[in-house]
Amino acid sequence: MQEYIFVLGRDPKLSLLEIVSYLRSMEIPFKLRDHNRDAAVFFLPDINFNELIDRLGGTIKICRVVCKGVDDKSIDDIISSIMVNKVIISVLSLSDFSNLKDKLLYNIKGKLRNQDIKFIIKSDMQPSKLIRLDILKKGFDLVIFKDFIAQTICISNPKFYEKRDKQRPNNDFLRGTSIRLSKILLNISGIKKGDTVLDPFCGLGIIIEEGLSLGFNVLGLEIDSNAIKKANQNLSYFSLRYKLKNSFRIINADSRKVGQLLKASDFNSIVSEPYFGPYIKKTYTVTQAKELSLELERLYNTFFSSLAKIIRKQNIVMIFPQFKTTQGIIIGPDIKKILHSNGFIINRPLDTVDIPLEYYNPNSKIIRKIYIINKN
């Protein structure tokens, strides 16, 4: 067991929740030693960290802690692994102790000069640039977090999501859930390889497409037959391209009848971003937001009333909207009331992360709230 620093993405609470949920679902022993909005320190066994960072959607880097404070022997160990006579050194400081960074760099520079190794030092490099310059082979990337100094062992590739989006036969970037968020939601659900994930509002199938690529069987419900055609094209394309063996199926049906269409044994978890109403071109007035919220409450209430007939112990991870208004008031459907009236409870897997968890762009007209739900 050793300490590792996870550099968290743009939604740090969501990223932390994803890491903890995934480690629990995979039964990997861990201890969360420390965390803030930038990073988290975990005590972990030696596992395949390249596979882990590919699996996570909200982690930027994973770094192995080499020392607390500047330790000569630890720095010697890092430098001894250098196999070239010119290195690139990247340093990311997440610490308020600027003197620690100065001391570290002074130490490293002296040792490299003594060995006649040429070097270039960069600060706060973006992950895409670290990958493009092949830093982990042509040098090393160090992260300072509080008094921890860690060496990066793997980096998330942001180009992966862009590539996958371009490959997909059908897209709707204005409405669809992103690949990154889909992956995070799936990991939070605790689903395991070989299980089946249900998206009862699957649209073009982005969430279940990601579930398919992560090794799950996927099942979708969608009322729009045109959307089903496009979703099946997307899933067929990725299944063939990546030679995926797990199964996918989309049913042309109304999700409000889920209790009549499916059995509890048909799925192991639910992950979904349901219908939010029509695409918003202009910020709603309070009256418009109230009218849409009441319409969505009727939809969501009927869905959960039907789902309550078949659900057992499956985890449910769903996103529900709140709407910004021209008057500055936030309005949305009363999800807590809907859940309570149908016998569901809100789960909070991590004490330091409140559920529901907000996820939104400051410029967005919608505030997304992520719920983790179970049957009471």
Side-chain angles (χ1 to χ4, degrees):
M1 301 280 279
Q2 190 171 340
E3 287 170 318
Y4 295 86
I5 293 175
F6 287 63
V7 179
L8 305 175
R10 66 188 182 200
D11 305 285
K13 290 184 178 180
L14 186 58
S15 299
L16 180 61
L17 181 60
E18 179 194 22
I19 297 165
V20 170
S21 299
Y22 179 74
L23 293 175
R24 285 174 178 169
S25 69
M26 299 303 292
E27 299 180 353
I28 297 171
F30 73 91
K31 289 182 181 178
L32 177 57
R33 286 293 181 85
D34 198 357
H35 69 91
N36 66 9
R37 65 164 286 104
D38 296 311
V41 182
F42 283 89
F43 199 51
L44 287 165
D46 185 19
I47 57 178
N48 189 326
F49 288 97
N50 286 308
E51 282 188 6
L52 177 58
I53 203 162
D54 286 344
R55 174 61 186 258
L56 298 173
T59 297
I60 297 173
K61 303 176 186 178
I62 301 176
C63 319
R64 182 180 290 110
V65 173
V66 294
C67 54
K68 282 192 173 185
V70 178
D71 176 74
D72 276 347
K73 183 180 183 306
S74 299
I75 304 304
D76 283 339
D77 289 343
I78 294 173
I79 292 174
S80 67
S81 64
I82 295 173
M83 305 300 291
V84 292
N85 60 8
K86 184 176 181 180
V87 297
I88 305 172
I89 302 166
S90 171
V91 181
L92 172 65
S93 179
L94 304 174
S95 172
D96 294 330
F97 308 112
S98 58
N99 61 322
L100 182 59
K101 179 180 178 181
D102 293 340
K103 185 178 179 181
L104 173 65
L105 290 177
Y106 179 82
N107 186 292
I108 290 174
K109 289 175 183 178
K111 291 179 182 296
L112 292 174
R113 287 184 181 124
N114 287 339
Q115 296 182 37
D116 293 324
I117 298 174
K118 296 178 181 180
F119 57 86
I120 300 171
I121 295 178
K122 302 284 187 179
S123 294
D124 304 337
M125 292 177 67
Q126 294 297 315
S128 56
K129 192 168 184 179
L130 291 171
I131 291 171
R132 180 165 56 83
L133 295 177
D134 203 8
I135 294 292
L136 300 190
K137 289 184 178 179
K138 296 181 179 179
F140 49 88
D141 177 62
L142 299 177
V143 171
I144 302 170
F145 174 67
K146 298 188 176 181
D147 59 343
F148 293 98
I149 296 175
Q151 183 175 8
T152 301
I153 55 176
C154 51
I155 306 168
S156 177
N157 187 356
K159 296 294 184 182
F160 163 81
Y161 303 110
E162 182 181 334
K163 179 182 176 182
R164 280 272 306 277
D165 278 335
K166 288 180 178 178
Q167 288 176 342
R168 189 180 301 112
N170 301 290
N171 275 307
D172 185 350
F173 294 118
L174 294 176
R175 299 171 189 265
T177 311
S178 70
I179 293 176
R180 174 182 171 273
L181 180 57
S182 298
K183 181 180 288 190
I184 293 172
L185 298 178
L186 287 159
N187 285 328
I188 289 173
S189 78
I191 191 168
K192 299 179 180 180
K193 190 172 182 179
D195 284 351
T196 298
V197 60
L198 166 67
D199 182 352
F201 300 86
C202 74
L204 296 185
I206 309 303
I207 289 176
I208 54 177
E209 171 196 305
E210 188 57 26
L212 195 69
S213 73
L214 291 175
F216 310 137
N217 300 311
V218 299
L219 175 62
L221 299 181
E222 176 53 50
I223 196 169
D224 183 343
S225 57
N226 187 48
I228 287 179
K229 180 181 178 181
K230 292 180 178 179
N232 275 318
Q233 289 173 347
N234 287 341
L235 294 171
S236 296
Y237 173 83
F238 281 106
S239 184
L240 182 63
R241 180 179 179 88
Y242 295 103
K243 299 178 181 179
L244 304 175
K245 302 299 182 183
N246 35 321
S247 67
F248 66 87
R249 180 166 65 109
I250 303 177
I251 302 170
N252 189 185
D254 189 336
S255 61
R256 290 172 292 187
K257 298 179 181 179
V258 62
Q260 302 169 36
L261 298 165
L262 301 174
K263 307 185 296 295
S265 58
D266 289 332
F267 57 94
N268 303 94
S269 70
I270 294 175
V271 178
S272 188
E273 182 175 90
Y275 177 66
F276 284 4
Y279 176 69
I280 303 175
K281 295 181 179 179
K282 294 183 179 180
T283 303
Y284 288 141
T285 64
V286 166
T287 299
Q288 290 172 323
K290 284 182 176 179
E291 289 176 353
L292 177 56
S293 295
L294 287 174
E295 178 188 335
L296 294 177
E297 281 186 11
R298 289 190 288 271
L299 167 64
Y300 301 156
N301 186 66
T302 306
F303 166 73
F304 278 104
S305 175
S306 184
L307 181 65
K309 298 173 184 177
I310 60 168
I311 199 76
R312 295 294 180 266
K313 295 182 179 181
Q314 296 97 323
N315 286 331
I316 304 166
V317 180
M318 293 184 70
I319 302 177
F320 297 103
Q322 287 193 318
F323 305 103
K324 297 178 182 178
T325 64
T326 53
Q327 292 93 325
I329 301 171
I330 306 298
I331 294 173
D334 190 341
I335 301 302
K336 291 182 180 179
K337 179 182 176 181
I338 291 169
L339 296 175
H340 178 74
S341 65
N342 288 292
F344 291 87
I345 58 172
I346 297 171
N347 190 3
R348 187 181 177 187
L350 195 58
D351 290 341
T352 56
V353 178
D354 291 330
I355 303 297
L357 183 61
E358 289 189 353
Y359 176 89
Y360 69 102
N361 184 311
N363 297 322
S364 174
K365 302 176 183 67
I366 297 177
I367 297 173
R368 287 170 161 81
K369 288 205 166 187
I370 300 172
Y371 285 75
I372 303 173
I373 304 162
N374 296 107
K375 189 74 168 67
N376 195 351

